[in-house]
């Protein structure tokens, strides 16, 4: 009985292992999402009538989730939520610029109310400035999401003034929204990267009924209920997504041409104008709710790589060689 040399046997085993491994399996994929909004110079005034403030609660909240693990920071009564961070986060607290794509997964959310008109914070403040960011990067399979939220709930009491039965409220601010999403070509069907943004102003009466709502959508006269919109520079209420149809492309939402935020992302040199006036509010008690949220959601499903036809033939050939060698041994 003739034995075959060890080098030949080792080579055959190595080739077989390589071809078998290539028969089916998953590949590494990546996804990225970044959602940012900088709202500044926000003033709330009443050009007609008289309004007094009964009370106010600021809200600054940040969340991060990475492959099932979650962290929540801040909430009601906070003006500067601690950054919620999981994974390979390198950006520190109140750094709202992009960390970007990398080679290790991470998820982070951050929110800060830099100044507030109601109540004056810091003392003497006459306008509101708030910044949100949500950013996540996923390498390989899994899921991640992040959010940054700033807002306030303000109790308003509208007082009758002789000759002016009721009051109107005027909202005026500037904003610089920016979002990016990416999904590479190795992600399988069903994978997606989504960046989300929302900004809304809502007034409810003592019965909980909505008497005014404004959600800027980039079109003057649209996105407003019981009020008049005077300026609407960009859509601040949208979802921006990348999927397998756009795989391999970094998609950017930069409607005002301000570019990606620089420094710490709190600058006020660029931004579009947004202005709206409520309809007349009759005397009574109201609640004004300001809500700004940015979030990012990633989901990667592995792509299964099937063996190619030449590979199948190679495996068949190896099997035939093995049979021939076996016969020669007898």
């Amino acid at each position: 009985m003739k034995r075959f040399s060890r080098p030949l046997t080792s080579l055959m085993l190595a080739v077989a292992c390589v071809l078998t491994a290539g028969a089916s399996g998953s590949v590494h994929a990546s996804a990225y999402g970044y959602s940012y909004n900088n709202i500044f110079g926000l003033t709330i005034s009443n050009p007609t009538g008289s309004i007094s403030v009964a009370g106010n609660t600021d809200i600054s909240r940040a969340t991060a989730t990475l492959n099932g693990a979650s962290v929540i920071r801040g909430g009601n009564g906070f003006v500067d939520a601690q950054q919620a961070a999981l994974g390979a986060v390198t950006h520190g607290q109140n750094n709202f610029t992009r960390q970007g794509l990398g080679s290790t997964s991470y998820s982070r959310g951050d929110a800060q109310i830099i100044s507030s008109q109601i109540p004056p914070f810091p003392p003497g403040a006459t306008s509101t400035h708030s910044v949100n960011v949500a950013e996540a990067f996923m390498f390989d399979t899994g899921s991640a999401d992040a959010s940054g939220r700033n807002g306030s709930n303000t109790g308003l009491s509208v007082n009758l003034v002789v000759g002016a039965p009721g009051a109107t409220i005027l909202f005026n601010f500037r904003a610089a929204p920016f979002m990016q999403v990416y999904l590479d070509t190795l992600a399988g069907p069903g994978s997606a990267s989504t960046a989300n943004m929302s900004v809304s102003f809502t007034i409810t009466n003592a019965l909980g009924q909505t008497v005014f709502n404004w959600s800027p959508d980039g079109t003057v006269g649209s996105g407003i209920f019981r009020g008049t919109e005077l300026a609407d520079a960009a859509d601040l209420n949208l979802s921006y997504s990348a999927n397998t149809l756009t795989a391999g492309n970094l998609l950017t939402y930069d409607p005002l041409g301000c570019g990606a935020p620089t420094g710490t992302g709190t600058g006020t040199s660029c931004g579009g104008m947004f202005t709206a006036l409520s309809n007349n509010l009759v005397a009574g008690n109201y609640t004004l709710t300001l809500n700004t949220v940015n979030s990012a959601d990633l989901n990667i499903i592995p792509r299964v790589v099937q063996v190619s036809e030449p590979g199948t033939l190679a495996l068949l050939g190896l099997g035939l060689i093995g049979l021939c060698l076996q016969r020669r041994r007898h």
Side-chain angles (χ1 to χ4, degrees):
M1 181 174 65
K2 181 178 180 181
R3 293 185 179 275
F4 297 98
S5 65
R6 185 178 299 275
L8 177 59
T9 303
S10 299
L11 176 61
M12 291 173 61
L13 287 174
V15 172
C17 289
V18 170
L19 291 174
T20 302
S24 65
S26 61
V27 293
H28 296 294
S30 63
Y32 174 71
Y34 173 80
S35 180
Y36 160 90
N37 202 1
N38 182 8
I39 292 178
F40 55 96
L42 169 61
T43 58
I44 301 173
S45 58
N46 58 297
T48 62
S50 176
I51 295 177
S52 62
V53 177
N56 178 81
T57 301
D58 285 318
I59 303 165
S60 184
R61 184 173 183 265
T63 70
T65 301
L66 184 62
N67 288 328
S70 297
V71 60
I72 301 174
R73 299 284 185 259
N76 288 354
F78 286 79
V79 295
D80 187 3
Q82 181 182 351
Q83 179 178 230
L86 289 171
V89 174
T90 59
H91 274 21
Q93 171 81 359
N94 295 338
N95 185 340
F96 300 95
T97 61
R98 298 170 300 169
Q99 180 174 324
L101 287 74
S103 58
T104 309
S105 301
Y106 69 86
S107 177
R108 72 183 189 104
D110 206 352
Q112 181 185 13
I113 300 174
I114 298 173
S115 65
S116 176
Q117 178 191 6
I118 307 172
F121 167 80
T126 57
S127 65
T128 298
H129 182 188
S130 68
V131 190
N132 298 341
V133 72
E135 186 176 26
F137 173 75
M138 176 64 62
F139 180 75
D140 212 351
T141 61
S143 62
D145 62 75
S147 70
R149 175 193 175 192
N150 282 316
S152 65
N153 293 313
T154 304
L156 301 175
S157 177
V158 176
N159 305 313
L160 281 174
V161 176
V162 176
T168 55
I169 300 180
L170 180 69
F171 302 89
N172 190 72
F173 69 95
R174 295 176 66 191
F178 186 91
M179 296 194 293
Q180 285 188 325
V181 289
Y182 173 80
L183 186 69
D184 73 26
T185 56
L186 297 179
S191 301
S193 170
T194 304
N196 310 285
M197 175 186 303
S198 66
V199 176
S200 64
F201 300 81
T202 304
I203 301 175
T204 55
N205 61 20
L207 299 177
Q209 300 167 327
T210 298
V211 297
F212 172 82
N213 179 264
W214 181 34
S215 301
D217 62 1
T219 302
V220 174
S222 178
I224 192 166
F225 171 70
R226 292 187 176 177
T228 302
E229 192 172 43
L230 304 174
D232 191 345
D235 193 349
L236 303 183
N237 291 273
L238 77 159
S239 293
Y240 194 60
S241 298
N243 53 38
T244 52
L245 297 178
T246 59
N249 299 301
L250 179 64
L251 306 180
T252 300
Y253 178 73
D254 183 17
L256 301 173
C258 292
T262 58
T264 59
T266 59
T268 58
S269 61
C270 182
M273 292 297 302
F274 299 81
T275 307
L277 177 68
S278 75
N279 288 351
N280 186 69
L281 303 174
V282 299
N285 295 318
Y286 296 86
T287 299
L288 167 64
T289 301
L290 163 62
N291 198 33
T292 67
V293 181
N294 290 76
S295 63
D297 301 285
L298 309 180
N299 185 43
I300 296 180
I301 298 174
R303 181 186 296 276
V304 176
V305 181
Q306 300 295 334
V307 66
S308 62
E309 185 175 335
T312 303
L313 293 175
L315 286 174
L316 179 60
L318 272 178
L320 292 175
I321 291 173
L323 288 175
C324 291
L325 294 176
Q326 184 67 24
R327 292 184 62 184
R328 292 181 60 185
R329 294 174 60 184
H330 295 289

